[in-house]
Amino acid sequence: MALGASHRLHDGVAAVETMTRFALAVLALASGVYTYLGVRSILDGSPTAVFFAAIIYSGSVSVAIYAFWSYMARFFPHVTGPAARGAMLGVMALGCAMIIAMSSWLNAAALAGSAALEQHLAETVEGYTGDLDRAHQNALAAQSLLPDIQRASERFAQLADAERQSGALTGTTGAGSVVALLSQMSAQLKELENGINASREQVANLFGEGQKRLETMRTLVSAPGAIAPRADQFSSEVVALTGVVTSLNQTSIAPSIRRAADDLSLGFIAPVADGQAADLANRQDQVMETIRTSVAAQSKVLSQAADEILSRPPVAERRFVPLSSAEAVLRYASDFIPAWAGAISIDLLPAVLVFILATVHGAIRRQEEGLPFAQRITAAELLEAIEVQRALADRGIDIREAVARADERDRADALRQEPDTDPRSREDFSEPAGHEPATTDADDHKVTSLELGKLPRKGPTS
């Protein structure tokens, strides 16, 4: 049974040899084709130069892959020693790493290069969307101060009207220095309010332009067709959007509010009391001092609010870096694991065939080691042994006698190499004194043993 199984394994190895060569050639060719597509995506120059350079590189890769795996399929299954088998495994690991470095990543670029570039553009759009939103929020942050400024302006205007009509502050009706001061404070706050409103309109226009740029960029990411022209147009849209974000950073009204708030307090100039009576003038001075205190408090509040807005980190300028398909595949490798798996499998699938052959040959060796030599010898080896016997018989050599003498000399040599524990054991195999060993034609031809089990055996071709 074991002999039959061994023969069937031999027949199977011989039967799949052509298929193995064909599979290696097809896989090497497929890897070369995808390598050609990947190389063309990263080379620059004239179309002719790029074509020939890609053809030469991909052809070299195909030949290298086919030669490497052919060598491994031929030699690895027949290496049995642990040291030699470990060395062959090390060579295989090194070869696999080199194949991945020179071919697999280019195969992945050909399989998923366009998708990786679209991924890069999509992530760039998301980044610029966040930048535009933050710049817009920073620009609108000053708008939150508008209600406070409006209330302060209206309060000063209402106090001026009340003083003019009923003398609510000084007790004397009419337009005097108090009314002039209150009207002046209201006018300054009104100007600041108008500046914030104008800034709001400018921010809205810039934000609308930025939204249009983002919409165009999203359309380019998902549009059908070749990725290269879309990427070029995408770059121009990125430049325009970067200008919009920069304009939003510079449009913030917060610095102007900070300066206006300081002017309210530091630039406060109270008019001279214009009352005819000393008592009226004294009341006017008291009211204007109260107004000064109120303006200082209002200025402090606005300054603190403006400082909080100015303390926000500005939106950093984002730099868009165009990528080739191969670079994009490397950067976003985790998002394209199936493409990487397919690209690597094309190059490393022959390793599975090599291990299958190694397993089969190992099984053949284990089955044949347990068989008698008569069952392991092949017809060709038997014919060779018969030819040797005839040649020796033609020379007049008795094969059995030569074999017996060779065995006796082997045993004598073995005893001489062992420790001399019993001298009598050596005498049993020593020649009598004065007797010289007979020489035969076998000695002339250095025939020591004809045990067929020691002859090298020709295995089947793999």
Side-chain angles (χ1 to χ4, degrees):
M1 295 298 293
L3 181 60
S6 176
H7 284 171
R8 285 193 293 271
L9 290 177
H10 278 299
D11 295 340
V13 171
V16 301
E17 181 176 1
T18 302
M19 185 61 197
T20 301
R21 295 178 182 274
F22 177 75
L24 292 180
V26 171
L27 292 173
L29 178 61
S31 180
V33 170
Y34 284 104
T35 301
Y36 168 79
L37 297 177
V39 170
R40 289 203 62 174
S41 66
I42 62 176
L43 291 181
D44 294 326
S46 65
T48 303
V50 171
F51 172 77
F52 282 106
I55 283 291
I56 293 172
Y57 185 86
S58 60
S60 301
V61 168
S62 296
V63 172
I65 291 176
Y66 182 80
F68 174 76
W69 290 120
S70 296
Y71 277 53
M72 296 304 300
R74 176 63 62 181
F75 298 121
F76 183 80
H78 305 291
V79 176
T80 58
R85 180 61 66 91
M88 290 294 290
L89 288 175
V91 172
M92 182 183 293
L94 178 61
C96 291
M98 295 177 68
I99 290 174
I100 293 174
M102 70 180 182
S103 175
S104 296
W105 72 287
L106 293 172
N107 296 346
L111 291 172
S114 298
L117 280 178
E118 291 180 353
Q119 176 78 9
H120 178 57
L121 299 183
E123 292 197 2
T124 302
V125 170
E126 294 301 321
Y128 275 102
T129 300
D131 291 347
L132 182 63
D133 290 338
R134 287 194 300 272
H136 183 232
Q137 292 174 3
N138 291 343
L140 290 180
Q143 306 292 331
S144 62
L145 302 179
L146 185 59
D148 296 335
I149 295 174
Q150 288 177 339
R151 285 195 299 269
S153 176
E154 291 174 358
R155 186 173 72 252
F156 283 124
Q158 290 173 359
L159 289 175
D161 291 339
E163 174 65 15
R164 184 184 301 109
Q165 295 175 5
S166 62
L169 298 178
T170 61
T172 303
T173 60
S177 58
V178 174
V179 174
L181 179 58
L182 290 173
S183 299
Q184 175 188 348
M185 294 295 101
S186 178
Q188 289 182 359
L189 292 173
K190 191 68 176 179
E191 291 178 359
L192 186 57
E193 177 186 346
N194 294 335
I196 294 177
N197 289 328
S199 173
R200 174 186 293 178
E201 183 178 356
Q202 184 180 5
V203 169
N205 292 335
L206 289 173
F207 184 69
E209 182 181 355
Q211 290 281 33
K212 292 180 181 179
R213 299 292 182 183
L214 286 175
E215 183 178 356
T216 303
M217 293 164 65
R218 292 190 182 97
T219 302
L220 291 173
V221 170
S222 58
I227 188 62
R230 288 188 284 147
D232 294 338
Q233 188 176 353
F234 186 91
S235 299
S236 62
E237 293 295 330
V238 165
V239 173
L241 182 58
T242 301
V244 172
V245 174
T246 303
S247 299
L248 283 174
N249 285 333
Q250 298 173 353
T251 306
S252 176
I253 197 66
S256 179
I257 296 175
R258 183 68 172 81
R259 292 190 296 269
D262 292 338
D263 290 340
L264 287 177
S265 177
L266 300 177
F268 183 85
I269 301 176
V272 178
D274 58 356
Q276 298 291 333
D279 181 57
L280 177 58
N282 186 32
R283 292 197 304 272
Q284 287 178 337
D285 288 338
Q286 292 178 357
V287 171
M288 287 187 288
E289 184 63 27
T290 303
I291 295 173
R292 177 192 291 273
T293 303
S294 176
V295 169
Q298 187 68 42
S299 173
K300 183 177 180 181
V301 171
L302 289 178
S303 297
Q304 291 176 351
D307 288 338
E308 291 179 0
I309 296 173
L310 293 174
S311 64
R312 293 185 177 187
V315 178
E317 182 177 354
R318 185 182 297 271
R319 182 171 176 265
F320 173 66
V321 180
L323 298 178
S324 65
S325 59
E327 293 172 331
V329 166
L330 290 176
R331 175 174 294 187
Y332 303 102
S334 59
D335 297 326
F336 299 97
I337 293 178
W340 273 96
I344 295 176
S345 297
I346 291 176
D347 292 335
L348 303 189
L349 181 60
V352 179
L353 304 181
V354 171
F355 286 124
I356 291 175
L357 291 175
T359 303
V360 171
H361 281 283
I364 292 174
R365 284 191 294 269
R366 286 192 299 272
Q367 291 175 4
E368 292 182 347
E369 285 175 356
L371 296 176
F373 179 76
Q375 296 183 7
R376 287 188 282 123
I377 189 171
T378 64
E381 293 171 343
L382 179 60
L383 292 176
E384 290 181 359
I386 294 174
E387 292 295 333
V388 171
Q389 183 181 10
R390 289 176 179 175
L392 295 177
D394 292 341
R395 293 176 177 269
I397 300 173
D398 188 348
I399 297 177
R400 294 182 179 179
E401 182 180 352
V403 170
R405 290 184 178 181
D407 290 340
E408 290 178 358
R409 281 199 298 271
D410 291 340
R411 286 195 294 270
D413 292 339
L415 289 175
R416 282 195 293 269
Q417 292 175 0
E418 293 179 358
D420 191 6
T421 55
D422 188 0
R424 292 174 299 176
S425 62
R426 183 177 299 176
E427 295 176 357
D428 296 338
F429 298 94
S430 59
E431 297 289 343
H435 181 271
E436 294 182 358
T439 60
T440 65
D441 292 340
D443 294 329
D444 295 337
H445 293 279
K446 300 182 179 179
V447 176
T448 58
S449 175
L450 294 179
E451 182 183 355
L452 295 179
K454 297 181 181 179
L455 292 176
R457 180 180 181 276
K458 295 183 179 179
T461 59
S462 59

